[in-house]
Amino acid sequence: MNIREFAKLCDVSPSTVSRALGRPWEKSELSRALYDRIRGKAAEVGFRPNFHAKAMLGRQSGCIGFIAGYKMSFAVGTLLEGISSVLTPLGKNLSIYPCRNQRDLEAEAFDTQLYCGVDAIIYLPCLQPFNRYDADHIRGQLDRHSQLPPVITLYSGSEIAAFHQLRFRDYEIGSRAALRQLAEGSSRFGIIDTIITTLSNRETARGYRETLLLHGVPAEEVCEVLLYTPGHEKNLAPLAGADGLLCSYLITLPGCLPALSKLCKAEAINIDALCSTETQSLFQWLLPAATGENGSRQPFRTLQLHIRDLFDIGVRSAEFARKLIDNPGSAPYTEYLDVVSDSYENAIDADIFR
């Protein structure tokens, strides 16, 4: 059934069908009763607009691209749930392109999504080596296309000026962590990240390091370790004697705990760690195996969490995309995401992770 046949079935014009099925009610210029009647009939008979035909005519395709530079972990699944919760009620499709942390696949994903004429792209950048981030593989694809839809990068920001950004105030998070640990009396500091990481983690580490130096901590008292696997004591050796740590991934701490207990006094360390609600729950499950104790008690002097709600990030990214689609030609700008910063104990008591 094409749109003319469906419009005849509804006793309306094809343009009315297009407005009802391709726009939110507030933008459709239709009465609520007519809008609901057309959408109800479409659901009843299984009618769907031809999104490719709409794209060829220069109108919205009704399809949003999602480029997952990360591997498709459970965390990305939660993110997609948030995105879908906004797009599905609007009758929008989501075209998902997983890239498995491979730059060539990421470049191919952009080329494919742009060729298909998606209305917007939500982009979760792939992980890259800590000190060698670049986006040249993406720029090469962008140069091949004369018109670009809005592209929204998540978490980490982007080095591509034409992209919009939905990101955290990473530098401020790192700075707050440094000030908290100084107030707790820490004097020797360390940063634990992974060899392959994000721009977000790099910026958080920069805020932490620069704030410590600004407050008189000697540079030699701030060390950094980049892990491939968390448990090797030799990799963590530079942290010997540290009593203040910034950890980019909370989930790495159980694996690091045996080595840290030998190199430092775990009960004397003040730690700030980044996590999502999902990885924190996993941390609770792994912690007893690392400590040899039952229950969820953490072994450090203090453990401050900076918690990201992945479902909410998905919702915000879809709403951002919808806003940009409705306002074409918007200059690139940044919207900021919030984190919940609290002690591990308070977060458990408040049921943040359930």
Side-chain angles (χ1 to χ4, degrees), residues 174-196:
S175 180
R176 289 202 309 268
L179 293 174
R180 187 191 76 83
Q181 292 176 15
L182 287 168
E184 292 285 350
S186 297
S187 58
R188 176 167 170 74
F189 303 88
I191 299 167
I192 302 176
D193 201 352
T194 51
I195 292 174
I196 306 297

Side-chain angles (χ1 to χ4, degrees), residues 148-352:
L148 301 178
V151 179
I152 303 162
T153 59
L154 300 186
Y155 295 0
S156 309
S158 172
E159 293 185 344
I160 299 179
F163 288 0
H164 302 267
Q165 299 184 29
L166 183 63
R167 63 178 301 167
F168 301 100
R169 299 183 187 275
D170 305 302
Y171 189 96
E172 294 179 16
I173 293 170
S175 180
R176 289 202 309 268
L179 293 174
R180 187 191 76 83
Q181 292 176 15
L182 287 168
E184 292 285 350
S186 297
S187 58
R188 176 167 170 74
F189 303 88
I191 299 167
I192 302 176
D193 201 352
T194 51
I195 292 174
I196 306 297
T197 189
T198 68
L199 283 176
S200 178
N201 290 347
R202 291 202 310 173
E203 187 68 1
T204 304
R206 187 173 74 88
Y208 180 79
R209 185 188 309 105
E210 290 184 358
T211 299
L212 292 173
L213 297 179
L214 185 64
H215 284 76
V217 176
E220 60 271 19
E221 297 298 327
V222 185
C223 62
E224 194 162 48
V225 295
L226 304 177
L227 303 178
Y228 181 73
T229 56
H232 295 299
E233 184 176 341
K234 65 178 182 180
N235 294 336
L236 295 170
L239 300 178
D243 55 5
L245 293 177
L246 174 69
C247 184
S248 294
Y249 297 100
L250 174 69
I251 201 63
T252 62
L253 280 180
C256 292
L257 183 57
L260 288 176
S261 297
K262 294 180 181 179
L263 295 166
C264 320
K265 292 182 178 179
E267 65 274 13
I269 306 176
N270 298 299
I271 297 182
D272 282 68
L274 309 178
C275 67
S276 67
T277 52
E278 291 76 14
T279 55
Q280 202 286 331
S281 296
L282 184 57
F283 174 79
Q284 284 180 248
W285 282 99
L286 294 175
L287 192 58
T291 61
E293 298 180 8
N294 292 327
S296 58
R297 179 181 174 276
Q298 59 86 10
F300 309 106
R301 182 172 185 271
T302 64
L303 176 57
Q304 184 84 350
L305 305 182
H306 305 277
I307 308 157
R308 302 163 174 175
D309 186 327
L310 297 178
F311 185 88
D312 181 64
I313 295 168
V315 169
R316 287 281 305 277
S317 66
E319 291 174 343
F320 197 174
R322 176 182 171 185
K323 180 166 54 178
L324 292 171
I325 292 168
D326 290 341
N327 297 276
S330 298
Y333 68 98
T334 299
E335 289 189 359
Y336 287 98
L337 296 159
D338 296 322
V339 298
V340 175
S341 297
D342 207 344
S343 70
Y344 175 78
E345 292 77 12
N346 285 346
I348 295 294
D349 290 343
D351 282 344
I352 287 176

